[in-house]
Amino acid sequence: MPTSFQQRIQARAVAGLWRLLSHASPRQLWTLSQSLTAILQPFLKRECAVTRLNLEVVYPEMPEDEQALLARDSLRHSTATMLELGFAWQGNEDKVAASIIEVHGERLLEEARQSGQGAIVLAPHFGNWEVLNFWLSRNFDFTAMYEPPKLEPLDPIIRAGRERCGASLVPTNSRGVAALLKALKRGQAVGILPDQEPGWGSGVFAPFFGRPAYTATLLPKLVARTNARVVTGVAQRLPGRGYALHFLAADERVYSEDEATSCAGVNASVEAAIALEPAQYQWEYKRFSKTPEEECGDPDFRRNRLYSSRNMKLARRHR
């Protein structure tokens, strides 16, 4: 579909904002995010409602006032991530590298590389995953899947930002999977997003904070074909200072030959990363959209939907 005039204008505005923000420091961007969050919150009704519903599910024992505080802090971190995109993609490389002031667990990646079997980095939507991509592509032969943005004119800008330190981006299809397999067989590192809900037929239900979540089976397939080691990686924001990278050994179940068991290990690995600081996870994503009842063809499956209109309305009242 041809790009519309409106899309081109929107893309230019976004690209211009990224260029402007690329010159700011993490401290300045964090300060700006605090002010901007207060302004944007009344207009982010869907995001706020989804966040509250997700937090009610994953932290049922948490008092309501604490959930509200966590939801607010989560939105602040999400705003900071959006502001930091220009910095991560277009900021001076030495300055971006200098903003990474701590790296924990790097030996796990080194051990995986030395084994010759490759490393799969599970990179959940926590902190600033673009800073994680920056560091990985500077320090390893790194391949990651990439889906073009809805605003097509932004595609070359985003691609250039993610590839500027040597990362290789591959499409989210069978050709991309083949490229990941080849990279792993060369003993290299690949990155996959473990917490996005796949399309029907590309996943299985596995527990995520005790609730069934439709989880991609890409990782168990890659492990089965390559015997690669699996590591969870996140870039935790240190407000006003920079970032701390954490590489954590994945839950041992990820190596199971049973896909459901392996996916349970994937979700447990994501949970362990979130535990570093729950406010830095992107809770506004509808992680529990699909349900086992829908997969089974239950005509009443909508009754069990977390993000029903009724639940969303109730969540908006408790912002």
Side-chain angles (χ1 to χ4, degrees), residues 200 205 291-302:
W200 287 116
F205 281 99
T291 65
E293 292 80 8
E294 183 179 5
E295 183 182 42
C296 294
D298 186 337
D300 296 323
F301 74 89
R302 290 181 177 82

Side-chain angles (χ1 to χ4, degrees), residues 25-312:
S25 67
R27 179 184 296 275
Q28 292 169 326
L29 294 169
W30 176 249
T31 300
L32 178 60
S33 73
Q34 291 178 292
S35 301
L36 194 57
T37 300
I39 297 172
L40 291 177
Q41 189 165 355
F43 303 98
L44 300 175
K45 295 180 180 180
R46 187 200 69 84
E47 289 79 4
C48 291
V50 173
T51 295
R52 288 301 301 269
L53 288 171
N54 282 335
L55 293 178
E56 288 173 10
V57 167
V58 304
Y59 299 122
E61 304 301 322
M62 182 181 290
E64 187 174 328
D65 59 338
E66 291 184 24
Q67 287 186 4
L69 181 62
L70 179 54
R72 188 194 67 187
D73 290 343
S74 174
L75 181 60
R76 180 181 300 167
H77 278 285
S78 293
T79 302
T81 299
M82 296 302 102
L83 294 176
E84 292 164 356
L85 292 179
F87 176 74
W89 289 336
Q90 300 177 20
N92 178 275
E93 286 190 28
D94 290 337
K95 289 184 178 180
V96 178
S99 73
I100 301 171
I101 57 181
E102 298 175 16
V103 180
H104 305 277
E106 184 177 357
R107 64 173 180 80
L108 294 172
L109 288 174
E110 290 291 349
E111 290 171 359
R113 183 165 65 174
Q114 291 172 7
S115 74
Q117 296 173 314
I120 301 173
V121 180
L122 299 176
H125 289 85
F126 177 101
N128 192 317
W129 49 92
E130 298 298 345
V131 170
L132 175 68
N133 175 81
F134 174 90
W135 187 90
L136 286 168
S137 58
R138 270 175 67 103
N139 291 276
F140 295 88
D141 291 321
F142 184 64
T143 302
M145 283 189 155
Y146 171 71
E147 186 171 357
K150 294 180 180 179
L151 278 178
E152 188 176 339
L154 291 178
D155 180 56
I157 300 172
I158 297 175
R159 184 178 291 274
R162 288 180 171 172
E163 291 184 327
R164 68 173 174 155
C165 294
S168 175
L169 300 183
V170 298
T172 55
N173 56 29
S174 59
R175 289 194 300 111
V177 174
L180 294 182
L181 286 168
K182 289 179 181 178
L184 289 171
K185 290 178 180 179
R186 292 193 296 267
Q188 298 175 359
V190 307
I192 62 175
L193 299 174
D195 52 355
Q196 285 188 320
E197 195 175 67
W200 287 116
S202 298
V204 295
F205 281 99
F208 183 52
F209 286 99
R211 186 182 180 98
Y214 199 63
T215 305
T217 53
L218 174 59
L219 181 125
K221 287 180 168 60
L222 292 177
V223 170
R225 296 279 297 274
T226 64
N227 292 317
R229 303 307 298 170
V230 185
V231 177
T232 307
V234 296
Q236 181 183 18
R237 183 176 296 102
L238 304 176
R241 297 168 55 205
Y243 308 92
L245 302 192
H246 297 270
F247 296 101
L248 311 170
D251 185 285
E252 284 297 316
R253 286 174 290 177
V254 300
Y255 302 108
S256 172
E257 295 180 359
D258 177 72
E259 289 188 342
T261 301
S262 179
C263 286
V266 169
N267 289 342
S269 300
V270 175
E271 290 177 22
I274 293 171
L276 291 170
E277 189 176 351
Q280 295 209 29
Y281 189 61
Q282 193 179 47
W283 294 110
E284 63 265 30
Y285 180 69
K286 292 183 177 181
R287 185 64 184 88
F288 304 104
S289 289
K290 292 182 171 64
T291 65
E293 292 80 8
E294 183 179 5
E295 183 182 42
C296 294
D298 186 337
D300 296 323
F301 74 89
R302 290 181 177 82
R303 290 183 305 176
N304 295 307
R305 278 188 163 176
L306 178 62
Y307 313 110
S308 65
S309 298
R310 178 179 179 276
N311 287 344
M312 292 285 282

